[in-house]
Amino acid sequence: PGTIRGEIQFEHMYFWYEDELPVIKDLNLTIQHGETIALVGSTGGGKTTIVNLLCRFYEPKRGRILIGGHDYTDLSLQAIQSRIGVVLQTPHLFSGTIRENIAYGRLKASQQDIEAAAKLVGADHFIQRFEHGYDEQVGEGGVLLSVGQKQLISLARAVLSNPEIFIMDEATSSVDTLTESMIQKGMEAIMQDRTSIIIAHRLSTIKTAHRILVIEDGQIAEMGNHAELLKLKGKYYNLYTR
Ligand code: DUT
Ligand code: MG
């Protein structure tokens, strides 16, 4: 009892960076297992900070975060990060092959598993077109790939790690429409039956989220689904009907 796979709770969470100006102010939120949450809102509101705290790149200054019913400071950093699959806005790849970047240290991952993950997210399509396919070198930090392609590889990596929690900071720029629709399909595949937090810029992602949170000034300014928030004619309405 009390242990719910993939459930996330923020309890009276406060956070500030070195300058000590409050960035997150008394955040209270329970995200149910399997739920998809979209974080939206204007720049500097605190969306990335919330995700950084959940991954424990930083820890709350006050209040706490529970994962699966446990205060996450009682869990090891490795345990937390193995439960979370994260795709960053500018994904980090290391120099090596596409295969190695998807496997990401999972030495037991078979070629079949790697390709199945890539197929599920729609990355297989562009990988097959490279001369060396999965053995193509991505270059230092992945310089030989576009941002969208890097996100697709990160999505495949996330699928392969089979996390309870999936987090994505959608790329805002330089993704062509084909890659964008691939990313969208890949995300939908991962989000099935997983707790997901998406920092969302695309209306297609936002509209299908169970709950949308408008984050402003470190607080939840509005919360609801797409239809509810449109009806409210508030901040969300202003953000997405211009
Ligand atoms: N901030 C810092 N130091 C950092 C990162 C952020 O002082 O290392 C500040 C900037 C901003 C606030 O914290 O005032 C929240 O930033 P965050 O990056 O969390 O905002 P966002 O909602 O993710 O903004 P964007 O939509 O531009 O990504
Ligand atoms: Mg951000």
Side-chain angles (χ1 to χ4, degrees):
T3 309
I4 303 155
R5 252 181 83 235
E7 185 184 84
I8 300 164
Q9 290 161 281
F10 298 97
E11 285 184 356
H12 298 291
M13 185 173 80
Y14 288 79
F15 185 76
W16 50 86
Y17 291 97
E18 284 71 32
D19 59 10
E20 302 196 354
L21 292 169
V23 172
I24 303 297
K25 303 165 189 168
D26 196 21
L27 182 72
N28 288 288
L29 176 69
T30 298
I31 305 172
Q32 252 118 54
H33 176 83
E35 197 178 8
T36 299
I37 294 282
L39 302 181
V40 303
S42 46
T43 182
K47 303 179 295 295
T48 298
T49 303
I50 292 170
V51 160
N52 285 342
L53 284 160
L54 185 55
C55 296
R56 207 163 152 194
F57 300 144
Y58 299 97
E59 286 180 12
K61 299 289 187 187
R62 281 169 60 191
R64 58 181 192 156
I65 297 176
L66 295 95
I67 296 178
H70 299 282
D71 186 327
Y72 88 159
T73 57
D74 293 338
L75 308 169
S76 74
L77 198 59
Q78 201 193 0
I80 293 167
Q81 290 176 356
S82 71
R83 291 168 82 166
I84 297 177
V86 59
V87 178
L88 303 173
Q89 196 158 18
T90 47
H92 179 77
L93 299 191
F94 51 86
S95 50
T97 64
I98 289 178
R99 181 195 313 284
E100 288 162 346
N101 270 283
I102 295 175
Y104 197 56
R106 271 178 194 77
L107 301 174
K108 283 181 289 181
S110 68
Q111 176 58 17
Q112 259 177 326
D113 294 339
I114 291 169
E115 288 188 22
K119 282 201 177 95
L120 190 73
V121 303
D124 183 65
H125 179 74
F126 82 84
I127 297 170
Q128 296 287 6
R129 286 200 311 239
F130 287 125
E131 189 186 345
H132 303 291
Y134 284 81
D135 294 314
E136 189 82 12
Q137 294 285 336
V138 302
E140 186 74 43
V143 284
L144 302 176
L145 302 174
S146 72
V147 172
Q149 289 173 333
K150 285 192 242 186
Q151 282 213 321
L152 284 169
I153 288 173
S154 300
L155 282 169
R157 180 191 288 172
V159 164
L160 191 67
S161 73
N162 192 24
E164 289 168 13
I165 297 165
F166 169 63
I167 299 175
M168 173 147 187
D169 203 342
E170 285 186 337
T172 35
S173 58
S174 55
V175 176
D176 62 82
T177 47
L178 177 64
T179 307
E180 181 172 325
S181 77
M182 292 290 186
I183 291 172
Q184 184 62 35
K185 288 210 184 85
M187 286 168 63
E188 280 163 15
I190 299 183
M191 291 187 308
Q192 290 292 331
D193 196 39
R194 255 181 258 278
T195 309
S196 306
I197 300 179
I198 315 294
I199 298 179
H201 308 290
R202 297 186 192 100
L203 200 55
S204 48
T205 310
I206 300 167
K207 276 166 86 170
T208 56
H210 298 118
R211 273 193 292 171
I212 301 159
L213 275 63
V214 181
I215 304 295
E216 292 226 320
D217 205 15
Q219 292 177 309
I220 301 168
E222 284 177 9
M223 183 162 69
N225 66 30
H226 181 71
E228 289 162 355
L229 291 185
L230 281 186
K231 215 182 282 176
L232 204 65
K233 287 209 159 58
K235 294 173 193 296
Y236 181 79
Y237 180 88
N238 287 328
L239 276 170
Y240 290 101
T241 58
R242 274 176 307 202

